Amino acid sequence: DTGVSQNPRHKITKRGQNVTFRCDPISEHNRLYWYRQTLGQGPEFLTYFQNEAQLEKSRLLSDRFSAERPKGSFSTLEIQRTEQGDSAMYLCASTLGAASGPQETQYFGPGTRLLVL
Amino acid sequence: AQSVTQLDSHVSVSEGTPVLLRCNYSSSYSPSLFWYVQHPNKGLQLLLKYTSAATLVKGINGFEAEFKKSETSFHLTKPSAHMSDAAEYFCIPVGSQGNLIFGKGTKLSVKP
């Protein structure tokens, strides 16, 4: 399967702990997006990378959140000092994006479901 | 900024009857618009996209959508619903960074 993969698929943690999620995009895709989806809502944009550069961060991304894409391939999203409000599905998507023309299809991974107790 | 309104939070149809999921956009220019589907416990999947090449867009699984500038609409239709179509559907514009701007979506239920 050469789609977008995410690990782990599920994570249960206690409040205050740190968690890290990984996203492996489709291999030739240069753009990678992170979204968060809470119950009953549509996904919300968090941040995105063009190759290894993080180009945009949403206001939703507090300073407890950090994302990296060190070699322009896989990406990690870390949440420090987790809070119950961080409980959500974290989605990753990748696309082959040009510098302009953002109409390319985004391919989504299955998501990582986080539960903070 | 682009935005869309999905007029129905929940649509229920019987199997074999037509499906209409409504979407109106708000933009001063022709936007890029996508319809994505999210099945329970599955990832988001692209159904179809409008990028100004053609106003009638055909997607996967028998779905299509027509971009109507005069009505600022991009409604999703399917002639005959199948049980497997039950899912959440999102009409989505594209943000300035290429990010997808999701709303709450429309939940489609299909009755046997």
Side-chain angles (χ1 to χ4, degrees), chain B:
Chain B
Q2 297 184 44
S3 66
V4 296
T5 302
Q6 288 186 246
L7 297 164
D8 306 294
S9 59
H10 191 188
V11 170
S12 182
V13 300
S14 297
E15 191 175 20
T17 64
V19 176
L20 170 64
L21 304 182
R22 297 182 293 168
C23 173
N24 284 90
Y25 68 90
S26 171
S27 175
S28 58
Y29 56 93
S30 291
S32 295
L33 290 168
F34 295 72
W35 275 98
Y36 272 79
V37 60
Q38 188 173 35
H39 288 91
N41 300 316
K42 290 188 178 179
L44 283 151
Q45 183 181 23
L46 176 71
L47 276 177
L48 50 83
K49 64 181 179 181
Y50 168 75
T51 56
S52 75
T55 56
L56 182 62
V57 184
K58 293 188 182 298
I60 62 170
N61 301 335
F63 285 94
E64 65 180 38
E66 186 172 5
F67 181 82
K68 292 186 176 180
K69 191 172 183 178
S70 60
E71 299 176 9
T72 61
S73 68
F74 190 54
H75 302 332
L76 183 70
T77 60
K78 182 173 179 177
S80 177
H82 192 272
M83 295 297 291
S84 61
D85 295 328
E88 189 94 25
Y89 291 80
F90 297 95
C91 178
I92 305 167
V94 179
S96 60
Q97 302 298 327
N99 54 298
L100 302 178
I101 305 171
F102 289 83
K104 289 191 176 183
T106 298
K107 184 177 181 179
L108 176 65
S109 299
V110 182
K111 298 174 290 187

Side-chain angles (χ1 to χ4, degrees), chain A residues 12-93:
Chain A
I12 299 174
T13 190
K14 292 183 179 179
R15 188 177 55 186
Q17 298 294 305
N18 299 344
V19 294
T20 300
F21 311 139
R22 176 176 169 130
C23 171
D24 286 88
I26 294 172
S27 61
E28 67 269 24
H29 285 184
N30 56 349
R31 284 196 173 190
L32 186 149
Y33 294 82
W34 284 100
Y35 296 84
R36 180 176 69 184
Q37 185 175 23
T38 53
L39 204 60
Q41 303 295 319
E44 298 168 293
F45 167 70
L46 293 178
T47 188
Y48 94 99
F49 293 83
Q50 175 89 20
N51 300 310
E52 66 276 7
Q54 187 174 16
L55 296 186
E56 182 72 12
K57 292 194 288 187
S58 158
R59 283 174 291 180
L60 293 174
L61 214 64
S62 76
D63 55 8
R64 296 185 297 106
F65 287 70
S66 62
E68 294 182 342
R69 194 182 183 200
K71 297 182 180 179
S73 56
F74 72 92
S75 175
T76 58
L77 178 68
E78 181 183 16
I79 309 174
Q80 296 182 327
R81 305 181 302 281
T82 52
E83 301 173 357
Q84 288 181 325
D86 297 331
S87 296
M89 175 77 86
Y90 290 84
L91 295 165
C92 173

